[in-house]
Amino acid sequence: LRTGGASGGGSAASTRPLVKVTAESASLRFEPRAASLLHQRTCIPRWVEVDIINHGDETLVLEEVTSEHSTLYPMLKGAGRLEKGKVARLQILFLTQVAGIFDGYVVLQTSKGAIPYQVQATAVDNPYRVEPVIGSRVMVGERFTPGITIFNPHQAELKVKEVNSTESFLHLALPGKSLDGVGSGSKGHSTTPAVWTIPSRQSKAIIYINFLSHTTGKFKGYICIRTDVDTLLVPVDIMVT
């Protein structure tokens, strides 16, 4: 994702005013009624699935779902007409960069109004000591090459299976490889180099981001790291001036 200048949080909202109503008044029921996520870990995604049940006598229209909370990414499966007794599925991705307590809402826009769905969560630092690459500022034409290091907290060896970036401007390079002139073919690695086997209680640099831009703006994306234990999603946020 690239934006020119400051970027706003959350999904794009509807152009018409939101009339907030309760699920009960719209004859909808959420199962579970609210999401409570305890002891989540930074940079490790957690999906929540919520059933949306129409228990009224009228057909409703599910239009969109949005959130202004930076840790919540909602998706609506089955948007459109929801007939009496039918069920649609709401999926919410919780992903946080920092530890703490979170309390936010996703908003389901329907033909009867906007219905909030509450998500509460607590998060601690991930045990792999992986941190987001955020708040970075570079000049136009300046190469930026931060590394991502993983600590293995387990008793057994930790194997990194795959590393990919979500954006074409976030090229990747293995440790020890040249960072000059890396092309789009470096977007992801799915082999298993020796550097991706991490002994117990040790740390290793597993990948380097190779970023270079000739235009100004804010660049956002993620580095996805799949291990034999967990999958990490590392946010990257770079401002080019």
Side-chain angles (χ1 to χ4, degrees), residues 4-27:
S7 64
S11 305
S14 174
T15 55
R16 62 186 175 85
L18 295 181
V19 179
K20 291 188 177 180
V21 298
T22 64
E24 289 77 11
S25 65
S27 299

Side-chain angles (χ1 to χ4, degrees), residues 2-8 215-220 237-241:
R2 177 188 178 274
T3 59
S7 64
T215 59
T216 61
K218 177 171 280 193
F219 294 78
K220 290 184 175 183
D237 187 337
I238 305 168
M239 175 64 76
V240 180
T241 58

Side-chain angles (χ1 to χ4, degrees), residues 1-4 133-148 165-174 177-184 186-187 207-223 235-241:
L1 171 66
R2 177 188 178 274
T3 59
V133 183
I134 57 176
S136 304
R137 300 181 70 91
V138 299
M139 302 293 291
V140 169
E142 177 185 355
R143 191 177 297 277
F144 181 55
T145 58
I148 296 178
S165 66
T166 62
E167 307 295 333
S168 59
F169 53 76
L170 293 176
H171 304 309
L172 303 176
L174 292 171
K177 301 294 183 180
S178 172
L179 295 174
D180 294 326
V182 178
S184 59
S186 66
K187 184 179 178 182
I207 207 77
Y208 283 87
I209 299 170
N210 186 21
F211 174 82
L212 177 65
S213 176
H214 295 288
T215 59
T216 61
K218 177 171 280 193
F219 294 78
K220 290 184 175 183
Y222 296 89
I223 306 300
V236 180
D237 187 337
I238 305 168
M239 175 64 76
V240 180
T241 58

